[in-house]
Amino acid sequence: MPRPLGELEDAVMTRVWKWNRPVTVREVLEDLQQERSIAYTTVMTVLDNLHQKGWVRREAEGRAYRYEAVSTRAAYAAALMNDAWGQSDNPAAALVAFFGMMSDEQRQALRDALRIIRDGGEEAIAETTQATQALERGEAEGAGQNAAPVQENPDSAARGGGR
């Protein structure tokens, strides 16, 4: 199971996942500098470490690299939840407690996920993905902070992402 990302690793991966395209150290640096003082070499080291850990793949472009996520944020979150659940001595009680902590939006996301699993339809996946993306952009009424991003590449976790 994956070790949780550190605070700076998470800040970098958040951008890689959000932009959903190959990124340069410079792009990540410039975005991070809007929030904190950080050096180019620090961001370069973090991306290199994430590459060594298997979170990102990289491709040379001139003297630099472009980095791209190997797995999705959704797959990462799912692996962390599965790991935490697996550590419980009473999985049913852990689930009941977890469900009790959920917001209305999270419960709706759970219902949507169960419907997708039950129906197994690509159409249901596409509808849920579109609705989630609208929430992330703040386009839907009541767009909450607890909405988890649904990525378009759920099979990437099977290729070894997030290890």
Side-chain angles (χ1 to χ4, degrees):
M1 282 297 123
R3 175 184 64 77
L5 294 170
E7 187 262 333
L8 189 52
E9 289 174 327
D10 185 66
V12 169
M13 283 306 299
T14 293
R15 283 146 179 88
V16 175
W17 282 319
K18 178 181 169 188
W19 296 336
N20 197 26
R21 62 174 171 74
V23 301
T24 64
V25 172
R26 176 75 51 205
E27 290 173 308
V28 175
L29 170 72
E30 289 173 358
D31 200 59
L32 282 170
Q33 284 179 331
Q34 295 177 29
E35 299 172 2
R36 64 177 85 192
S37 176
I38 189 166
Y40 181 93
T41 54
T42 302
V43 177
M44 183 174 63
T45 299
V46 170
L47 279 163
D48 185 59
N49 289 343
L50 289 167
H51 175 257
Q52 290 177 21
K53 293 176 181 181
W55 287 102
V56 295
R57 65 179 140 261
R58 67 184 180 194
E59 189 171 316
E61 184 176 280
R63 297 186 324 167
Y65 289 105
R66 284 204 173 265
Y67 295 87
E68 186 173 19
V70 170
S71 187
T72 64
R73 180 179 282 283
Y76 166 68
L80 290 177
M81 289 188 291
N82 188 55
D83 188 41
W85 185 42
Q87 292 179 27
S88 173
D89 59 351
N90 188 339
L95 281 175
V96 170
F98 179 65
F99 295 155
M101 294 178 199
M102 289 179 146
S103 68
D104 290 339
E105 292 86 7
Q106 290 169 323
R107 283 190 203 91
Q108 183 58 50
L110 177 60
R111 284 190 286 276
D112 291 344
L114 290 171
R115 182 173 49 87
I116 290 168
I117 290 168
R118 183 191 66 227
D119 296 347
E122 292 294 320
E123 185 176 312
I125 293 170
E127 288 174 10
T128 303
T129 300
Q130 289 171 357
T132 302
Q133 289 170 345
L135 277 172
E136 289 172 348
R137 292 187 304 266
E139 294 174 359
E141 183 177 318
Q145 296 175 8
N146 294 324
V150 175
Q151 303 295 326
E152 295 182 22
N153 193 5
D155 65 327
S156 64
R159 294 193 306 262
R163 292 184 218 257

